[in-house]
């Protein structure tokens, strides 16, 4: 007996659950099926959303032969063998759909090997990938294929899938609402994973001699793996982005959500600690210098305690960062100075700012007329210049009126008045 996921694989387009943005009336893939002519495409989406199913249905809809390759196990030799089979199919009046699963696993030369066959029309190419094709698929191949973005199944769509599974094989089981919610949570939008979990439930219930399934039974009887988490792809960077923006947006609950989501999914906590320190310097800066210290302390605490104890420190750090006063003034000032220096000429250090450790240097005027700030009123040498000669004041650092920077702004304004008064006396 085939696995439940295979037994319930849709045999027609109308049986597909999910992807209404592509398969609904008047939507792109629906129109493509209605066109009467297949075209090359790349199906991009997370696991278990129907990429392979749609490729098979495409071959069936257009009465094409279907050749499937896995980029994990195949190479140029397998591509050539597939093309020989496609040529034989053509000689018998049959067009071929070439499906390459995980196309992002093919290197450049392997992807290039597909090009002449796709261009000649010998095959219609369909690639499936969980990675962003903009980065993982050669531009030449990408330009010859329409990209369709598939989405994870919604909770309602998974509930519909459960009803279909009960009709087909699990009608003797009664799932309470808490059990269904638990299964949906661990399926994480992956239909294949959801069906596998349901199948495990059926096996475990049979062994236990029960027909009523509750959440406690599921937690005790099944091996529930961590939710889907892509440690190197778009999903990873999207979640990092969401964490950073939640901190920047002063939303502690959202920041905690994304942090714990990533930890739950297996993200490297040390990497997260480094990113948290970066957030403190970039988005809080001198508005609350304690944020940098707390972020650093959290990173050190995790180094000392490890997981899971050290994760609490990271959690409290993101809470503090989220509620702290925000300023990117230092970040912007640094970037502006860096950009200026990169394109500017090499300006000489003013003579009065140069060090004079030798007699010759003193005779050349190095350090002459330098005013030692600590000897001046208020420890500030009003009217003194510190930039290269002829360079105007750039005003890169513009403190914000929040947190400590509000006081810094007041101080800088006061010092600017002192400079103006000093210049007026000259």
């Amino acid at each position: 007996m085939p696995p439940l996921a295979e037994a319930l694989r849709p045999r027609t387009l109308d049986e597909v659950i999910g992807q209404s943005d592509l398969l609904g009336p008047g939507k792109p893939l629906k129109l493509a099926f209605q066109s009467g002519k297949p075209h090359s495409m790349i199906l991009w989406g997370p696991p278990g959303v129907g990429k392979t199913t749609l490729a098979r249905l495409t071959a069936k809809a257009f009465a094409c032969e279907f050749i499937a390759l896995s980029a994990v196990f195949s190479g140029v030799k397998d591509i050539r063998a597939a093309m020989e089979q496609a040529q034989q199919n053509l000689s018998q009046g049959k067009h071929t759909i070439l499906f390459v699963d995980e196309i992002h696993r093919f290197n450049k030369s392997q992807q290039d090997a597909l090009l002449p066959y796709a261009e000649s029309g010998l095959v219609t190419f369909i690639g499936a990938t969980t990675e962003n094709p903009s980065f993982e698929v050669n531009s030449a191949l990408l330009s010859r294929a329409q990209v369709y973005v598939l989405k994870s199944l919604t909770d309602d769509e998974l509930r519909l899938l459960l009803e279909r599974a009960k009709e087909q094989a699990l009608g003797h089981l009664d799932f309470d609402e808490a059990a269904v919610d638990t299964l949906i949570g661990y399926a994480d939008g992956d239909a294949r994973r959801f069906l596998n979990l349901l199948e495990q439930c059926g096996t475990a219930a049979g062994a236990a001699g029960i027909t009523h399934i509750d959440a406690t039974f599921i937690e005790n009887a099944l091996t529930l793996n961590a939710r889907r988490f892509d440690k190197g792809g778009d999903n990873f960077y999207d979640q990092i982005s969401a964490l950073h923006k939640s901190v920047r947006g002063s939303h502690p609950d959202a920041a905690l959500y994304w942090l714990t989501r990533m930890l739950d999914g297996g993200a490297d906590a040390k990497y997260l600690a480094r990113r948290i320190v970066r957030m403190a310097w970039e988005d809080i800066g001198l508005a609350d210098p304690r944020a940098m210290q707390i972020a650093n302390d959290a990173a050190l605490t995790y180094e000392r305690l490890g997981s899971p104890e050290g994760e609490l420190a990271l959690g409290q750090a993101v809470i503090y960062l989220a509620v702290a006063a925000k300023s990117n003034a230092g970040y912007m000032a640094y970037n502006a100075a860096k950009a200026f220096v990169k394109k500017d000429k090499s300006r000489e250090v003013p003579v009065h700012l140069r060090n004079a450790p030798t007699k010759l240097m003193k005779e050349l005027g190095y350090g002459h007329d330098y005013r030692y700030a600590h000897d001046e009123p208020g420890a500030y040498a009003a009217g003194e210049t510190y930039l290269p000669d002829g360079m105007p004041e750039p005003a890169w650092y513009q403190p914000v009126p929040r947190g400590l920077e509000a006081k810094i702004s007041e101080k800088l304004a006061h010092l600017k008045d002192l400079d103006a008064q000093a210049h007026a006396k000259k």
Side-chain angles (χ1 to χ4, degrees):
M1 184 176 179
L4 185 60
E6 188 59 35
L8 291 182
R9 186 184 293 276
R11 289 168 175 76
T12 67
L13 206 60
D14 291 336
E15 292 181 5
V16 175
I17 293 176
Q19 314 313 325
S20 58
D21 288 347
L22 295 175
L23 297 173
K27 298 300 182 180
L29 259 181
K30 184 74 169 182
L31 293 174
F33 274 83
Q34 293 172 346
S35 70
K37 183 178 180 180
H39 64 270
S40 293
M41 65 182 79
I42 293 175
L43 304 174
W44 171 28
V49 296
K51 297 187 291 295
T52 301
T53 293
L54 286 175
R56 291 183 179 277
L57 289 177
T58 300
K60 183 177 180 181
F62 298 107
C64 296
E65 294 296 313
F66 186 78
I67 297 177
L69 297 177
S70 169
V72 177
F73 303 111
S74 305
V76 173
K77 181 180 179 182
D78 300 285
I79 294 172
R80 288 174 180 159
M83 294 308 106
E84 290 175 4
Q85 181 61 52
Q87 193 67 55
Q88 291 182 23
N89 295 338
L90 187 61
S91 66
Q92 298 170 8
K94 286 279 191 177
H95 187 66
T96 299
I97 296 281
L98 175 66
F99 174 64
V100 181
D101 195 17
E102 299 191 78
I103 181 64
H104 60 277
R105 297 292 190 93
F106 269 166
N107 59 35
K108 185 178 185 302
S109 63
Q110 291 168 325
Q111 291 186 30
D112 285 343
L114 292 170
L115 273 175
Y117 306 110
E119 288 178 334
S120 69
L122 175 61
V123 298
T124 295
F125 162 72
I126 300 180
T129 178
T130 57
E131 301 291 337
N132 189 332
S134 300
F135 305 125
E136 303 297 338
V137 178
N138 289 358
S139 58
L141 189 59
L142 192 62
S143 67
R144 290 161 176 79
Q146 178 67 45
V147 176
Y148 295 106
V149 182
L150 281 67
K151 299 178 181 178
S152 298
L153 271 66
T154 66
D155 291 359
D156 288 342
E157 289 165 348
L158 289 176
R159 288 177 186 277
L160 184 59
L161 190 58
L162 171 61
E163 293 305 312
R164 188 172 294 178
K166 290 171 73 172
E167 291 173 4
Q168 294 283 335
L170 302 176
H172 62 291
L173 296 179
D174 172 39
F175 294 84
D176 68 21
E177 277 302 305
V180 175
D181 288 341
T182 300
L183 289 168
I184 287 176
Y186 278 98
D188 207 16
D190 183 329
R192 184 169 52 247
R193 178 186 285 191
F194 185 62
L195 291 173
N196 288 341
L197 288 171
L198 289 176
E199 191 166 32
Q200 291 176 41
C201 277
T203 302
I210 65 171
T211 57
H212 179 74
I213 307 295
D214 59 20
T216 301
F217 176 78
I218 291 173
E219 295 283 356
N220 292 333
L222 303 188
T223 301
L224 299 172
N225 297 322
R227 291 164 180 77
R228 181 177 66 241
F229 187 78
D230 182 358
K231 295 183 181 180
D234 277 5
N235 200 33
F236 175 82
Y237 294 108
D238 286 347
Q239 291 184 30
I240 278 289
S241 176
L243 171 61
H244 197 152
K245 289 171 181 172
S246 298
V247 167
R248 181 183 295 149
S250 300
H251 199 304
D253 288 343
L256 275 178
Y257 172 77
W258 292 115
L259 175 70
T260 52
R261 261 287 298 276
M262 298 186 80
L263 290 171
D264 176 70
D268 182 359
K270 292 181 180 179
Y271 173 81
L272 293 176
R274 294 195 297 271
R275 291 303 298 255
I276 290 167
V277 172
R278 164 73 184 205
M279 294 172 204
W281 286 100
E282 180 176 333
D283 287 300
I284 296 165
L286 299 181
D288 188 349
R290 291 171 298 184
M292 281 83 85
Q293 186 61 54
I294 287 174
N296 278 311
D297 286 348
L300 290 173
T301 298
Y302 184 83
E303 289 279 355
R304 179 169 294 180
L305 296 182
S307 180
E309 293 87 350
E311 292 165 4
L312 174 60
L314 301 182
Q316 297 208 45
V318 299
I319 291 173
Y320 188 91
L321 267 58
V323 301
K326 301 298 187 297
S327 172
N328 70 344
Y331 174 69
M332 297 298 288
Y334 171 77
N335 286 339
K338 184 178 178 181
F340 176 84
V341 168
K342 187 173 183 179
K343 67 180 182 180
D344 190 42
K345 62 184 179 181
S346 297
R347 298 174 184 262
E348 296 292 337
V349 176
V351 174
H352 71 286
L353 296 182
R354 299 182 188 182
N355 194 25
T358 69
K359 181 180 178 181
L360 175 61
M361 289 177 173
K362 290 176 182 177
E363 290 174 350
L364 292 173
Y366 285 23
H368 182 65
D369 288 337
Y370 169 67
R371 295 162 61 194
Y372 187 58
H374 293 287
D375 291 340
E376 300 282 337
Y380 181 68
E384 181 67 286
T385 59
Y386 298 95
L387 290 168
D389 294 335
M391 179 177 168
E393 291 284 347
W396 290 319
Y397 179 52
Q398 297 291 327
V400 300
R402 293 183 292 276
L404 180 61
E405 281 201 329
K407 294 185 178 296
I408 293 174
S409 182
E410 292 175 4
K411 178 177 179 179
L412 290 179
H414 173 64
L415 298 180
K416 190 173 182 180
D417 287 341
L418 294 178
D419 287 337
Q421 293 170 23
H423 290 309
K425 292 177 182 178
K426 291 182 178 179

